[in-house]
Amino acid sequence: MSMLGTRVERKEDPELLTIGGTYVDDVECEGALVAVFVRSTMAHADIAAVHVDKACEMPGVVGAFTAADLGLSADPPRMPMLNQQMLRSPLATGRVRYVGEPFAVVVAESQSQAIDAAELVYADYEPLDPLLDTAEAARNDRLLFPEADTNTVFAIPPGEQNGQDPFDACEVVVELAFCNPRMTAAPIEPRTALASWDAGAQRLTYWACTQFPHQTRDTLSAFCGLEPSQVHVITPDVGGGFGAKNAQYVEDFVVARLTCQLERPVRWAETRSEAMVGFTHARAISYSARLGGTRDGNVTAYEVDALQDAGAYPMIGSLLPMFVRTMASGVYDIPNVAVSTNSVTTNTAPVGAYRGAGRPEAALAIERMMDLFAAEIEMDPGELRRRNFIPPDAFPFTTPTGADMDSGEYAKALDAVMEAADYPGLRAEQERRRSEGSSRLLGLGWSAYVEISNPMGAPEFGSVEVRDDGSALVLTGSSNHGQGHHTAYAQIAADLTGIDFEMIEVRHGDTDEIKRGGGTGGSRSLQTGGAAVFEAAEAVVEQAKETAAAMLEADPADIVLDADAGTFAVVGTPARSLDWAQVAAHASQSEGPGLQAESDFQPPAATFPFGVQLSVVEVDRDTGQVTPLRHVTCDDAGVIVNPMIVEGQVHGGVASGIAHALGEVFVYDGDGNPLTGNFMDYAIPSAAELPSFERIPLETPTDRNPLGAKGIGESGTIGATPAVHNAVIDALAHLGVRHVELPCTPERVWQHLQHP
């Protein structure tokens, strides 16, 4: 019986739930110093001087350092597509550009000593007016980087129209300018690091809280002027990544430089307050969009101009509008699509990747516009979507913006959600409440989305080794930080080899043990890392057949593997069989290398998971409070290896998407000071604020990997925010409300109720 598609309990959970796992800050390192960063309290200012003398006199302090003390230089962004004139030093020199930017670091024998000393470090600021508004930044009247002569980090210009505006032929055109507000990743475990320099071996060991161990190795080696072989990165358990724990934070570089210069181990762990102002922020994009078509519901033209807030320094977030463009038309067959984008710097925390990374931004734009169009022509928004879906027989399908989509069954997913939710019954209940003048308004919101997973087509490494006792070791270049990789990869190996699931060990995150790897991001782990394990397991089986053939004095072509029993035999004579332990022991005792194979799986293209979500919300007419009542989803990720893991990924993603729609927003005041710098003010929901999610399975395989699997980790988030957003507006639509900006907080909804 195949293990694939079964609800196997996760291998990772017993240790995480009992012992508690081992995170970077748990790693013991004798004699390690502690680093504490000193961060700017101003959003925009020149620094005349930094004073560290008093800190250096404090007990236990080894040193207090500025960029000059550590020989740090200001360098251009590592991504060549970003504006190379916008330089940054790991510790700010001359000017600070956002509250929370580090400009000095204190190193002491203990955490308390470093904290006390850091409080004595201060800068002589010469304040500058902060630039916070992206529209103002785009005008380039004031420049954050005068030497760049622009605030633009990255831009995609509008395409050619060939002299004709497709909207001229439209019977109906709707337009809207709206925002997708700034948020932060806020994982349970903030960033941490531990570094140790072996002067004799000229080797750096770095324990990293990252999604990309090998990328961390490579960036650190380049920064330190070392060969990659001189850097050993170890990634133990990671308490959530969500795209934000990449390998490009300035604190990592400073910690590495400190340990090399002081020749003592150095550790660092940021506080939650530091994480809120210095960790990756996300979304922070505004749109000016229009959608056109016929009065009977045929959408023919879509145009969106997106203005991305890059924050103070160019990071990957500046490039994410590329995905806004690629995925602009979503699941719809719209013949004319035009997208332009501009990413600009502001005096706020830099923007990076967070769960979906550009795809939620694309989905929110088109899904909001579809609802607006439906309202304009007085058509049910579900029906409008159905009329414009790309049909199943059109795949593979290339959109006007170049998305090469593999497969999709959008109407099937919509029908499944409609039936499960009893959509006609919900509409009837909504009408009943309206007619009776109920203060509890009911809103129904649709979102039909498509995601691009592994959008850059990155490869991944996997290997399988069968030990002499018949157990197996699986190594993977992808990095597990809560998704269940060890379980899914063990299932794949067990299914192909017949080795007992409990006898398969999966390891990741050590660059000495695993020489190469892509890491985890873009919802690519199963379809690339899992596919690599699949291919390596197939190769090991073939090796074992060769060995078994020699042992049984038969032709290798006549050897068969009974995967249920985990034994090899000559075809037609199963009575005489060999188990994996016998075959592996024989292979290791011979002159050969033993039973071990590896694969670097290179996918031919990205995959395109999709889904349909329906949000049912209740709005209190007296207070503006929004309560999610139901959330029904049909999220398709191709062939499913473990339904339990998929459900967990969808649930987590939906929770994140709902939170962004209803309250999770990062806010600055007019001077660039954070107003949501802790969990008292930044509204992360608990389970008590969320309904039980209702998930409908659907599997539409892809032909772009041997598993037929697509990504799932980000899908729930991509679909949930627009579904909830549309539901809130739907609840108020009969009162004349056309749009509500995100997040749909009680105050904002109440204001619309008072002044529709």
Side-chain angles (χ1 to χ4, degrees), residues 359 451-455 522-524 527 605-609 710-712:
R359 288 90 86 196
E451 123 101 308
I452 179 172
S453 57
N454 195 22
S523 295
R524 70 187 186 215
Q527 63 184 309
T607 66
F608 291 81
K710 307 177 185 180
I712 193 60

Side-chain angles (χ1 to χ4, degrees), residues 460-669:
E460 191 52 274
F461 169 83
S463 71
V464 177
E465 176 186 358
V466 182
R467 299 160 168 149
D468 289 2
D469 62 357
S471 65
L473 172 64
V474 173
L475 301 180
T476 175
S478 65
S479 189
N480 182 30
H481 39 89
Q483 299 91 334
H485 292 162
H486 291 195
T487 303
Y489 295 170
Q491 284 183 256
I492 293 168
D495 187 73
L496 288 170
T497 63
I499 297 173
D500 187 88
F501 174 78
E502 300 297 336
M503 294 180 66
I504 298 177
E505 179 186 5
V506 181
R507 294 209 295 255
H508 77 282
D510 187 318
T511 61
D512 272 10
E513 180 177 40
I514 304 159
K515 301 297 184 183
R516 56 193 181 274
T520 296
S523 295
R524 70 187 186 215
S525 292
L526 183 64
Q527 63 184 309
T528 54
V533 172
F534 182 98
E535 290 187 341
E538 282 190 323
V540 162
V541 168
E542 292 307 309
Q543 292 176 7
K545 286 181 178 179
E546 294 278 349
T547 302
M551 296 172 70
L552 296 172
E553 298 179 339
D555 189 322
D558 293 332
I559 300 296
V560 293
L561 168 65
D562 182 343
D564 290 335
T567 57
F568 296 88
V570 178
V571 63
T573 58
R576 188 185 175 200
S577 63
L578 301 170
D579 62 25
W580 274 101
Q582 293 170 302
V583 175
H586 184 86
S588 66
Q589 292 164 11
S590 66
E591 295 181 0
L595 298 182
Q596 192 275 339
E598 59 186 45
S599 169
D600 292 279
F601 178 74
Q602 175 63 64
T607 66
F608 291 81
F610 64 90
V612 173
Q613 299 189 12
L614 177 67
S615 172
V616 183
V617 304
E618 190 174 73
V619 177
D620 189 319
R621 191 165 181 171
D622 298 324
T623 66
Q625 178 67 46
V626 178
T627 303
L629 298 181
R630 296 178 66 186
H631 201 95
V632 187
T633 80
C634 182
D635 303 282
D636 188 302
V639 174
I640 293 174
V641 170
N642 188 317
M644 183 178 67
I645 290 177
V646 170
E647 288 170 7
Q649 289 290 294
V650 171
H651 290 178
V654 168
S656 174
I658 292 175
H660 189 48
L662 297 183
E664 197 170 333
V665 59
F666 200 96
V667 180
Y668 291 92
D669 69 12

Side-chain angles (χ1 to χ4, degrees), residues 300-302 325-330 332-339 390 397-405:
T300 59
Y302 177 47
R325 181 185 184 279
T326 301
M327 304 307 297
S329 54
Y332 307 110
D333 188 0
I334 305 175
N336 300 291
V337 181
V339 181
I390 301 165
F397 182 87
T398 302
T399 70
T401 54
D404 175 20
M405 300 164 73

